[in-house]
Amino acid sequence: MSQRDLLLRIVAASVTASRKAAEIVRGVLKSGDLGIVEKTGKNDLQTEADRAAQRCIVASLHKQFPKVAIFGEESLDPMEKIPDDYVTKDLDPDVMSKVCPEIYKNVTDDQIVIWVDPLDGTAEFTQGLLDHVTVLIGIAVNGEAKAGVIYQPWYNYEAGPEAEMGRCIWGLIGLGSFGFTRQVPPADKNLITTTRSHSDWIVTEAVNSCEPSEIVRVGGAGHKVLLLIEGKVHAYVFASKGCKKWDTCAPEAVLHAIGGRLTDLLGKPILYHEKVQRKNAGGVLATLYSHQWYVDKIPQEIRENFVSDTPSEEMLQLKQQQGASVAAGGDSSAASTGANWEGSSVDPPEYTQKTDEKFSSKPKI
Ligand SMILES: Nc1ncnc2c1ncn2[C@@H]1O[C@H](COP(=O)(O)O)[C@@H](OP(=O)(O)O)[C@H]1O
Ligand SMILES: [Mg+2]
Ligand SMILES: [Mg+2]
Ligand SMILES: [Mg+2]
């Protein structure tokens, strides 16, 4: 198979891996032992489902694409033995039946970074709100979210035994998004979704400044973008630095592939290259329509708290004056202290997701 299909093959392998991961997380719930661990605190949990799903996805993709950098949310022991039945190698036939858009024909392994959130909506998962949970695999090319898989393992779980459980939504910019029914949101309302379990006064103030007719508080970045693409809400507004690249890469690509946008709160792009800081320090704003209207609604006193992945012109000039090179992913505190702007060194320790040595072939800086 030609190199021009590389991106399509990664998407097809991701769809298969997400399906397997969904089986695994459903199995963990059935076992009754969630193995909950607090990471940075009680608002940041990890369960056996998060761990097992990441093992499955990362091992499956790494086996098939050993030269592609893969970053997962959970810090796991790279030397751990992965059960053989966790590793999938099939390419999803529906994805492979599509023609890869011409624009990707020259994409090579070293231009791709895969961002894995093995279980998005962990807080809600531990509370039994199962339809808030998704498995997210985002694929970035040259630092931009280009393709994504959002698997909802418990879709239809309350629809009776006849209903098929789980669904896979996937998208590739230039091709479209598949696996759901697109609907237009009600024209006479302004429904805004935001976090259910990671709120504070800035989060609420930012939502209120967008004049919501109703606030829909649900778990998961993936789930909130599903509400957007199915026309159940008009915007996803999250004025917090809590979301990371693995939360937004897949949802951004799926949304963008049908004409929507996911940016930071300032309307600037979120970047996804290998060395970008993991947290979304600019917050998150996603819409299908009227994106700039929402950007303009965010008041200056809220905007001031957020920093885009893309350095501003002023930052670039400041750094040039200091004679230092600038890499995207820096923040103002790093600039003022002269700290290294590159890679995870700009992340506070609780956000640092080190490259999984075993699964990244990239040279370390
Ligand atoms: N303050 C915070 N601390 C840690 N994680 C946060 C956070 N705010 C948001 N997140 C993460 O961002 C994702 C979406 O958040 P929310 O559901 O609140 O909208 C969740 O991903 P995970 O469930 O994969 O960890 C959540 O944990
Ligand atoms: Mg988490
Ligand atoms: Mg998440
Ligand atoms: Mg997660």
Side-chain angles (χ1 to χ4, degrees):
M1 193 164 294
S2 71
Q3 181 67 18
R4 63 162 286 159
D5 285 321
L6 175 64
L7 197 58
L8 202 66
R9 280 188 290 131
I10 293 178
V11 176
S14 300
V15 165
T16 309
S18 72
R19 198 172 286 127
K20 181 76 196 172
E23 257 173 48
I24 291 171
V25 300
R26 285 191 295 250
V28 172
L29 183 70
K30 268 206 187 108
S31 79
D33 182 7
L34 296 193
I36 299 172
V37 174
E38 281 186 14
K39 294 198 287 186
T40 58
K42 62 178 172 27
N43 283 334
D44 190 12
L45 304 178
Q46 183 196 72
T47 72
E48 181 52 28
D50 301 63
R51 295 186 286 274
Q54 180 163 311
R55 288 182 195 113
C56 157
I57 296 165
V58 175
S60 299
L61 295 179
H62 178 66
K63 274 254 152 59
Q64 295 170 85
F65 309 100
K67 293 187 190 153
V68 173
I70 306 173
F71 295 98
E73 174 182 353
E74 311 304 339
S75 295
L76 301 176
D77 176 1
M79 302 317 287
E80 189 179 28
K81 169 91 182 95
I82 312 285
D84 288 343
D85 64 343
Y86 273 30
V87 181
T88 63
K89 284 203 197 143
D90 298 331
L91 299 179
D92 181 81
D94 278 352
V95 178
M96 291 310 293
S97 70
K98 312 279 186 202
V99 176
C100 190
E102 195 69 11
I103 40 171
Y104 303 119
K105 72 173 193 281
N106 294 323
V107 171
T108 48
D109 307 272
D110 59 329
Q111 294 173 305
I112 298 176
V113 178
I114 305 178
W115 297 96
V116 179
D117 187 343
L119 196 147
D120 183 50
T122 302
E124 284 68 25
F125 174 58
T126 63
Q127 295 162 17
L129 295 169
L130 299 179
D131 48 347
H132 297 212
V133 171
T134 58
V135 172
L136 303 176
I137 306 176
I139 301 146
V141 180
N142 294 329
E144 292 178 13
K146 290 295 188 195
V149 177
I150 305 177
Y151 199 102
Q152 202 175 18
W154 284 280
Y155 176 68
N156 263 347
Y157 82 112
E158 290 176 316
E162 302 302 309
E164 194 187 335
M165 183 106 96
R167 64 169 171 169
C168 185
I169 291 97
W170 67 274
L172 174 61
I173 295 174
L175 188 62
S177 289
F178 308 87
F180 67 100
T181 306
R182 184 172 173 176
Q183 275 173 29
V184 178
D188 56 342
K189 292 191 174 138
N190 181 21
L191 309 171
I192 299 186
T193 189
T194 194
T195 183
R196 178 183 159 275
S197 56
H198 298 95
S199 206
D200 59 25
W201 74 269
I202 295 192
V203 167
T204 304
E205 271 302 303
V207 171
N208 286 337
S209 68
C210 294
E211 303 170 15
S213 55
E214 197 182 312
I215 303 176
V216 182
R217 290 192 178 269
V218 296
H223 180 215
K224 285 189 262 296
V225 169
L226 290 183
L227 296 183
L228 266 176
I229 64 178
E230 295 196 305
K232 292 178 181 148
V233 298
H234 297 75
Y236 166 18
V237 179
F238 190 40
S240 158
K241 301 179 183 184
C243 270
K244 324 292 182 320
K245 302 306 174 196
W246 40 79
D247 291 305
T248 50
C249 187
E252 177 177 337
V254 167
L255 181 62
H256 192 154
I258 61 163
R261 291 184 66 197
L262 188 152
T263 64
D264 68 22
L265 278 180
L266 314 177
K268 295 277 186 298
I270 295 175
L271 302 179
Y272 297 95
H273 54 77
E274 186 172 7
K275 297 196 202 87
V276 78
Q277 63 177 344
R278 276 40 180 160
K279 65 178 171 171
N280 287 329
V284 177
L285 173 64
T287 60
L288 244 177
Y289 310 99
S290 312
H291 198 78
Q292 192 59 39
W293 186 87
Y294 290 92
V295 173
D296 293 341
K297 284 286 167 192
I298 306 295
Q300 186 55 27
E301 58 271 28
I302 292 181
R303 295 170 66 95
E304 279 164 7
N305 294 282
F306 295 93
V307 186
S308 298
D309 284 340
T310 323
S312 64
E313 276 304 312
E314 299 93 275
M315 285 285 181
L316 286 167
Q317 277 167 14
L318 184 71
K319 287 300 265 187
Q320 266 162 10
Q321 282 161 13
Q322 290 172 345
S325 67
V326 178
D331 61 19
S332 51
S333 62
S336 60
T337 59
N340 181 4
W341 275 36
E342 294 210 348
S344 56
S345 59
V346 295
D347 285 331
E350 69 270 27
Y351 291 128
T352 302
Q353 170 70 33
K354 287 194 68 129
T355 304
D356 183 332
E357 305 288 338
K358 189 174 170 195
F359 295 120
S360 174
S361 55
K362 297 307 186 66
K364 306 291 174 316
I365 293 190

